Amino acid sequence: MLDLCLVVEELSKACGGVGVLFAVNALGSFPILLSGSDEQKQTYLPPIARGEKLIAFGLSERPAGSDASGLTTTARDDGDHWVLNGSKKWTTNGGAADIYSVFAVTDPTSKSRRISAIIVEKGDPGFEIGRAEDKMGIRCVPVVELHFDECRVPKNRLLGGRPGLGFKHAMMTLDRARPGVAAQAVGLAAGALELSTLYATQRKQFGQSISGFQMIQQMMADMASNVEAGRQLVYAAARACDAGVPELTKMAALSKLFATDMAMKVTTDAVQIFGGYGFMKDYPIEKYMRDAKITQIYEGTNQVQRLVIARNLIKEAGRLDHLAAFIPLPDHPNTLEDQARAESASAGA
Ligand code: CAA
């Protein structure tokens, strides 16, 4: 993950679209890495690693964005095959990719084992690439709809060994992929900072470079501090994923939340430093701002990240029992005063 984040950051410094195009190969591959059989790993991963094939991730649908478990695409058990019906929305790399990790309902009656992950290949009968989105940013990378109409795929394309593990594996995948989006955001912010710093040293107003003005210097200093803070948080989250520590879900969400909000602010300030020229397409700086916006939305909106962080904090509070004595509840009989009295009594005795 750390290596991946370094590469995504560097690519995104020049172009956020290329950064995500690369990062999505990890997003699509994680379901196979996490739950694929040896045979599935051998079949699908080496051509992706060699750069011969791209992979995409099919989770979101028109009715199921943040509410990922509300997806409606189905996969029917039909002897030696799964038969898929439904549509996916916002599939990055769709059309360019040869391999798709697709999430579908295999047991509509189950609450917790409803969804499974299935590999679909370009060219499978009944699988079509649909509408390509006309986007505000990341315009070089395709984002499309996927359509499945009685799409038949062999039984051995199911991931996880048995049906029903798909949602859990989708969540585990997103935990590992979110630092990649955060790295994209850091790259965009760092690239915008570089360009706006250079511009500030060259652009003259009132007879001097605008970098000589303290109000510009303050913006530059704040931008640089925030970029560095975001970068270090992304690296920490990537290391947490690499180490497989239990806090990785929270760390991934923290890095995604902080780095992408930071990138939106930093790229907006970079446009501000370019002034009127920044608002025009004369310079590439407005592209950074447009590309940054989606990082606050995809792979889980930043509202979802806050939810994930808060849920994990609450879960971790269970481990803080040893501190409970220091914060007795107001109606608790054993207050701090009671304890102090008891301690001084026992000291006296
Ligand atoms: N790891 C492992 N298991 C997890 C988990 C995690 N991080 N998070 C949840 N689960 C498990 C739970 O333990 C629970 O299991 P049981 O049923 O066995 O108890 C199950 O999953 C359901 O969990 P929740 O009740 O927490 O699920 P929820 O419906 O409340 O949803 C959510 C939680 C966090 C909002 C989730 O739906 C979510 O992350 N939504 C955002 C979806 C998203 O990020 N989409 C991005 C699409 S990809 C994309 O954008 C790509 C691109 O274009 C570049």
Side-chain angles (χ1 to χ4, degrees):
M1 273 311 299
L2 184 59
D3 290 348
L4 179 97
C5 287
L6 293 171
V7 174
V8 172
E9 179 186 332
E10 218 44 43
L11 292 172
S12 303
K13 255 190 196 175
C15 177
V18 174
V20 72
L21 186 158
F22 180 79
V24 162
N25 286 289
L27 175 70
S29 298
F30 273 125
I32 304 176
L33 279 164
L34 289 167
S35 66
S37 64
D38 285 348
E39 193 189 342
Q40 288 167 332
K41 288 178 186 168
Q42 283 308 319
T43 306
Y44 292 107
L45 299 178
I48 300 168
R50 285 195 297 265
E52 294 161 6
K53 287 187 175 174
L54 299 181
I55 184 166
F57 181 76
L59 178 69
S60 303
E61 298 181 1
R62 280 174 189 241
S66 292
D67 181 12
S69 67
L71 63 86
T72 58
T73 294
T74 54
R76 193 177 73 242
D77 186 337
D78 188 29
D80 292 342
H81 288 77
W82 293 104
V83 181
L84 283 86
N85 280 289
S87 295
K88 293 289 168 184
K89 187 84 180 152
W90 305 305
T91 308
T92 307
N93 280 359
D98 292 280
I99 310 160
Y100 297 78
S101 296
V102 174
F103 294 82
V105 177
T106 44
D107 184 357
T109 61
S110 170
K111 192 168 176 291
S112 59
R113 298 283 178 265
R114 217 175 134 251
I115 295 167
S116 302
I118 295 173
I119 298 173
V120 176
E121 293 181 20
K122 194 179 212 167
D124 279 335
F127 173 41
E128 298 285 341
I129 302 299
R131 191 180 101 150
E133 304 292 348
D134 186 7
K135 307 181 295 306
M136 174 196 222
I138 59 161
R139 291 182 62 82
C140 68
V141 61
V143 174
V144 303
E145 290 182 352
L146 309 178
H147 299 302
F148 306 97
D149 180 10
E150 290 290 293
C151 168
R152 294 178 71 78
V153 305
K155 258 304 173 45
N156 65 5
R157 301 263 197 88
L158 177 83
L159 291 169
R162 61 190 163 92
L165 303 177
F167 189 71
K168 201 165 271 267
H169 289 145
M171 292 298 107
M172 291 169 69
T173 291
L174 288 165
D175 287 345
R176 285 150 184 85
R178 283 172 179 156
V181 173
Q184 183 199 5
V186 169
L188 283 165
L193 173 63
E194 276 180 5
L195 291 184
S196 54
T197 305
L198 179 63
Y199 183 80
T201 61
Q202 294 182 344
R203 170 75 170 159
K204 289 201 166 45
Q205 289 289 279
F206 305 100
Q208 66 172 97
S209 300
I210 61 169
S211 61
F213 296 120
Q214 288 189 349
M215 278 196 234
I216 298 287
Q217 289 174 358
Q218 186 196 18
M219 286 173 82
M220 286 162 51
D222 286 350
M223 288 159 81
S225 320
N226 284 316
V227 170
E228 199 50 41
R231 178 179 283 130
Q232 295 308 324
L233 188 50
V234 172
Y235 295 172
R239 287 194 183 98
C241 288
D242 285 337
V245 300
E247 293 80 15
L248 75 87
T249 300
K250 185 184 72 181
M251 288 297 289
L254 286 171
S255 70
K256 204 270 185 189
L257 171 64
F258 183 85
T260 63
D261 279 356
M262 175 280 289
M264 199 63 242
K265 171 89 173 80
V266 167
T267 55
T268 306
D269 286 350
V271 169
Q272 190 71 18
I273 290 177
F274 274 75
Y277 289 109
F279 191 69
M280 309 303 159
K281 301 228 175 206
D282 304 37
Y283 290 102
I285 200 68
E286 52 83 38
K287 175 183 184 300
Y288 283 82
M289 187 176 154
R290 287 188 288 108
D291 285 355
K293 184 61 211 172
I294 189 63
T295 66
Q296 295 178 300
I297 298 171
Y298 60 21
E299 292 196 27
T301 62
N302 282 2
Q303 286 70 26
V304 164
Q305 306 310 317
R306 288 180 171 92
L307 187 88
V308 169
I309 294 163
R311 281 183 182 180
N312 279 277
L313 285 173
I314 293 163
K315 213 191 294 173
E316 286 168 16
R319 287 191 233 141
L320 301 176
D321 272 355
H322 59 290
L323 296 175
F326 296 103
I327 49 161
L329 293 173
D331 57 353
H332 199 287
N334 189 17
T335 62
L336 281 178
E337 265 176 34
D338 292 340
Q339 280 179 34
R341 233 177 279 125
E343 274 166 23
S344 68
S346 74

